Structure formats: C-alpha cells, structure tokens
Amino acid sequence: MSGLVVVGVDGSESSFAAVEAAAREARARGVGLRVVHALVWPVTYVLPRPSPGGTSPLGPPPMDPSEDALRKMAEGLVAEAVGRARAESTDVEVSHAVVTGEPLTVLEAESRAAELVVVGSRGLGGFGGLLAGSTAVHLVAHGRCPVLVVREQPRADGPVVLGVDGSAAGEPAVDFAFATAERRKAPLVALHAWTTWNAPLPAPQDASAPYANPPGALAEEEETLLSEALAGYRARYPDVVVERRVVHGRTREALIDASRSAQLMVVGARGRGGFAGLLLGSVSQAVLHHAHCPVAVVRAAGAQH
C-alpha cells in the first residue's frame, strides 16, 4: 500500500457518488486520491475472404475513426469527477488518468498501489455490471486492497457495522472497521450471528453421552467467540464505542437488516465455514448485492492473488 485511494469512474451518477465518497475517505486518511477511467475501444471484427481451405478466421480490428472523440469524452468525464472530488475535499491532492483496458484489469492493477479502491454500485459502459453479476465479485475477490462499493446513501449518524465470525481470515476486516470508526468518530456495532448449523459441536466429555450441548451453552460460546475476536482491537482503539451484538439467526439476513441504519458495512471476504480456496464467500456476496449502505470487503493479506 502506498497511501492512495483509487476511485473508478465511468460518468454515471453512481460512479460520481463513489468519487465523492472516495474524496472523503482520502481526506480522513490523509492520503491522495486517484481518479481512474478505463477506456475500452469499440472493436469491429471483419471476415476476410475464405481461404482455399474453406476457413474464415476473424481478421484484426480496423482503426476506429471515433478514437479521438472517445478519448476527449473520457477526459471530460474524468475532469468532471476531479472537480467533484476537489469540491468535496478541498485539501486532498487529486490525480487522474484515462487508462486503456478492460475495467476489471485496470482496477485490479490500480489496487496494487492503493490502500483502498472505491467503485459505484451501478454504472454505464466502463464499470457497468457491478453488483449485477460477476464483476463486483471478481474485483473484490482479486483486488490487492480493500474495496468499498458505494450503494445507497449512508446514514451520516449511523454506526459502522462489522460482521464478525471469529476466523483468522476475518481479522483484517475487524482492524479495518475499528480504524474506520475511529477516523469517522462513529460508534461500531460488532455483529456475530450464529445458528445450530454453523456453531461448532464439541465432542462430549463422556464418550457414552450423545453429541449435544447443554441448554444455553451454544449462546455462551458464541458470546465468548465475539469477545475474544474484539479483545485486542478494543485495547488498540480505546476511543471507539463498541456495541457487541450476538444474533441467533442467519448471518446474511442479520447483516442486511443491520445495514438499514448503518453508515458503512464491513465484512471479510471469506470466513468460518467457507470452502478452502474460495476467494469470496456467500455472505460477502449477499451483502454486496443487498445491503442498504456502502459495503467494504476486506481480504486477508495471504489470500491476495
């Protein structure tokens, strides 16, 4: 990480909302902001004459006569995005670039030199498809830094909501959430949801006894799990007011419901119960699609590819 917030912009209102959110993040972090547009040239393939063997391979794309116009259009929308960023955070150093390439490839490359990448939830052209299919999943799964997806307008007075599962893979998300809450001077809601299906079932002390927990034992264990997951961070961030919330229910539903009153939702990319090798879990995907506030997904450093 090099002390830089990167935001992808394609000219849609969603991407301009992401620019403003990114400017606020850069100001709060005391770092620079880089506004990036991925420019994809329109490609027209032509069929050459059939060869003597009867094959008709696709030929190379001809030069498109609208290249100059497209680049000017791209530079114009980037200039508008830069203007919005500077209006939002006047003291943030803003740089910009129009980069030729597919949006995902461009953003993934940009994430290598960033501490945060910000994108809008829906776009047109350059970053279209976010949260509608595999694009957001790919970016969050393969980016080299946390990704903030700007969805609905957040509640300014809402808490930062953190999904906690107690896994080692989720620890970077815990640190990200505490640091964000401290910068924003916001309360933090640390939410852990469990059911009898995802809670571990220890072997009985007596081999002749059935595999079962005494009444209330699971709830106590899940309370302990949350306390242990937060212990070191609460000491490192003593000014953050933390509400611990243990919910007996499905994690996805609990997080989406909590997002209704939040200014930000923070989750890990994959945690307890996931299949080894998966880069993004079902809970993270569900929150990306359905949360009622911006969502930050934080991957463990060792999981970066």
Side-chain angles (χ1 to χ4, degrees):
M1 297 189 300
S2 64
L4 189 69
V5 172
V6 171
V7 59
V9 61
D10 67 357
S12 67
E13 283 305 313
S14 178
S15 71
F16 285 132
V19 167
E20 293 168 357
R24 293 191 293 270
E25 280 289 333
R27 179 182 60 203
R29 294 165 178 263
V31 300
L33 174 66
R34 178 172 166 86
V35 177
V36 178
H37 173 72
L39 180 60
V40 181
W41 299 118
V43 178
T44 303
Y45 287 91
V46 294
L47 287 172
R49 291 178 178 274
S51 65
T55 59
S56 299
L58 290 176
M63 291 297 293
D64 190 281
S66 63
E67 286 185 5
D68 289 342
L70 285 173
R71 181 164 289 278
K72 288 179 180 178
M73 183 184 303
E75 291 172 349
L77 71 87
V78 167
E80 181 179 351
V82 169
R84 293 200 186 196
R86 288 175 174 159
E88 181 68 34
S89 301
T90 57
D91 54 347
V92 170
E93 181 179 346
V94 183
S95 60
H96 58 87
V98 174
V99 183
T100 302
E102 292 293 332
L104 277 174
T105 302
V106 169
L107 282 179
E108 187 177 334
E110 292 286 335
S111 74
R112 298 170 184 267
E115 62 180 63
L116 180 70
V117 172
V118 185
V119 291
S121 61
R122 295 177 181 85
L124 44 90
F127 295 97
L130 281 175
L131 304 187
S134 62
T135 306
V137 173
H138 181 98
L139 177 60
V140 169
H142 294 278
R144 300 303 181 97
C145 67
V147 176
L148 172 61
V149 179
V150 179
R151 289 181 53 79
E152 299 180 16
Q153 285 296 323
R155 288 186 50 167
D157 59 345
V160 173
V161 175
L162 164 68
V164 180
D165 66 3
S167 69
E171 290 180 5
V174 179
D175 189 49
F176 182 96
F178 269 91
T180 300
E182 182 180 64
R183 282 193 298 268
R184 298 186 179 191
K185 296 180 171 55
L188 176 67
V189 173
L191 189 154
H192 172 64
W194 66 278
T195 68
T196 53
W197 294 101
N198 62 25
L201 189 64
Q205 295 182 354
D206 183 348
S208 64
Y211 272 73
N213 284 295
L218 279 179
E220 292 179 3
E221 290 173 4
E222 300 303 312
E223 289 273 4
T224 300
L225 180 150
L226 180 57
S227 296
E228 292 176 348
L230 301 179
Y233 298 98
R234 297 189 71 171
R236 288 168 54 190
Y237 300 95
D239 295 333
V240 177
V241 177
V242 182
E243 175 191 343
R244 297 188 312 155
R245 190 180 298 177
V246 178
V247 177
H248 184 196
R250 291 171 60 86
T251 303
R252 283 172 285 188
E253 285 77 0
L255 288 173
I256 292 169
D257 184 61
S259 74
R260 296 179 186 276
S261 61
Q263 63 173 272
L264 176 69
M265 171 73 66
V266 181
V267 294
R270 184 178 62 84
R272 188 175 71 175
F275 292 97
L278 287 180
L279 297 180
L280 196 63
S282 61
V283 170
S284 305
Q285 293 187 48
V287 172
L288 280 174
H289 283 278
H290 302 294
H292 300 279
C293 67
V295 177
V297 181
V298 186
R299 297 181 61 217
Q304 307 291 356
H305 290 262

